[in-house]
Every structure is written in structure tokens, then in C-alpha cells.
Amino acid sequence: GPLERRRCRYLRTGRACCQMVEVLLAALVLVCSSVSGGSAGGYTGLPALGGIYYYQYGGAYSGFSGAEGERAQQLDQRFYLLKLPIARAAMAVGGCLLVFPCILILVGVLGVPWHFPAWLLIECTLDIAIAVGTVPALYYFFHCLLGVYNSSVCKEREQLYQSKGYQGFSCSLHGAEIAAGLLGCMATVAYLFSAGLAVRAYRTVHQQKQKPVQL
């Protein structure tokens, strides 16, 4: 009926499209964060085939033996534990950013902004707060990651693996972490744009509600 058509019409508005972009960006941030901290690490020696490194690099590490193998395993585990809090925090932020625009889409579909126009001003304030808060969040994300990569654990781990000719253990940001940062920057722009659309929608609703009174 007319109610269903009005609800579907909202999904074609600029605000809804912007909110769906925010959902997509948050989902990608969540995925990149999980990739950054999802590897449990752990050295896999030749007798213990099937570990994560075995599948990732196409063969078990046969270059380590005895004390070197145990030291590689310890460094992997310590490096993983250093990165784990950062990854969990990034995943928590990504999850919150994923839920928030979904709620806004549901509110828009239900027509709350039309019956309660002040909600659009609240939405604008929240969008600006998230956009501003994302900037220091990104700073601390990269600051903490660089702290882990500059730690003695990472340096020793890198040297140990390089001594055996293994690549991929350098103490530098990898692609998923850089992508998470870029996606966070894009989310900041999307939320600022969404705040502007919320203000414009408030003016439109306010004018439409004043028309019957003027007539």
C-alpha cells in the first residue's frame, strides 16, 4: 500500500544511500581488522604439519630445529599477543560503525524523521561526532601498530626468519592494516556528508509541515 511505497522510497534517497555506503565501509573495516589480528601465529615444525604457516607458505618450516624452533614459536606467540588488543579494539569500532547506520536506515524506513523532525538534528550531531572521533581513533590505531612493529619482539622475530631465508615477516604495516586506515578516512568523509544531508532533510521536512498551516 502507500505506507510500503513510502518506506521503499526512503531507500532511494541520498541519506539512505550514504548510510548504506557507511555500512559497507564499516564491514570492510571489520574484515581488515580481523585479518590483522586473526592469525594466531605459532611456528610449525616439520613433524607438525598442518599449521597456519604450513598452508600459508606452502610447506612446513624445515629450516628451524631444536632451540631455534622453540624460539620462533615463542616470538610468534608474543607478537600475536602484542597485536591482539589493537585488532580487537579496531574490530569493536568497526562493529559499532556497522550497527549505527543500520539503525539509522531502519529509523528512516519507519518514517521517524517525518513524525519527529528533531531526530534529524540528533542524527546530524551523531554523524559529526563519529566523523570527528574517527580521526584520533585512526591516529591511535597506527600509533599502537607502529609501536608493536618497532618492538624488540618484532625485530628479533624478523631477524630470525630472515636468517633462514623466509620472507613476509618484516616489521611494517601490511595491506589489511593500511586498507583499514583508508577505509576509516572514507568513513569520516561519508559521515560528514551524511550530516549535511540530515540538515537538508530537516529543512525539507520542516517546510513541508508548515505548508498546511500557510494554506
Side-chain angles (χ1 to χ4, degrees):
L3 180 60
E4 293 180 355
R5 289 197 298 269
R6 186 167 65 247
R7 290 176 177 178
C8 294
R9 191 182 303 123
Y10 172 75
L11 297 178
R12 298 194 297 268
T13 62
R15 284 177 54 238
C17 293
C18 190
Q19 289 161 359
M20 286 186 281
V21 170
E22 293 166 4
V23 171
L24 176 61
L25 293 175
L28 293 176
V29 168
L30 189 60
V31 170
C32 292
S33 302
S34 63
V35 170
S36 175
S39 174
Y43 161 74
T44 303
L46 186 60
L49 301 183
I52 184 168
Y53 287 156
Y54 178 77
Y55 290 108
Q56 184 173 355
Y57 293 97
Y61 285 7
S62 58
F64 294 107
S65 61
E68 283 187 336
E70 295 178 358
R71 184 56 180 169
Q73 184 178 16
Q74 293 174 0
L75 291 173
D76 279 341
Q77 293 173 350
R78 290 174 61 186
F79 179 70
Y80 167 71
L81 292 176
L82 286 175
K83 288 185 64 177
L84 184 60
I86 307 171
R88 285 181 174 177
M91 292 173 64
V93 172
C96 293
L97 293 179
L98 180 63
V99 173
F100 178 69
C102 291
I103 295 176
L104 295 183
I105 293 174
L106 178 62
V107 169
V109 169
L110 295 177
V112 174
W114 173 257
H115 300 289
F116 184 59
W119 167 258
L120 292 168
L121 298 180
I122 298 174
E123 180 180 325
C124 174
T125 303
L126 292 175
D127 286 336
I128 294 175
I130 293 175
V132 173
T134 303
V135 176
L138 288 173
Y139 169 78
Y140 284 109
F141 174 70
F142 285 110
H143 177 75
C144 294
L145 277 178
L146 292 175
V148 172
Y149 288 126
N150 291 328
S151 64
S152 58
V153 173
C154 184
K155 297 298 184 182
E156 183 179 354
R157 177 174 177 266
E158 179 183 23
Q159 293 175 359
L160 181 60
Y161 282 114
Q162 284 183 349
S163 66
K164 300 299 180 180
Y166 295 117
Q167 304 298 323
F169 300 93
S170 60
C171 295
S172 59
L173 297 172
H174 60 67
E177 294 161 349
I178 297 174
L182 294 176
L183 292 168
C185 294
M186 295 172 62
T188 300
V189 176
Y191 274 102
L192 290 176
F193 188 68
S194 182
L197 292 177
V199 173
R200 189 178 70 174
Y202 173 78
R203 293 175 178 174
T204 302
V205 172
H206 183 71
Q207 291 174 357
Q208 291 179 354
K209 281 183 171 292
Q210 293 297 323
K211 285 181 179 180
V213 177
Q214 295 174 359
L215 292 173

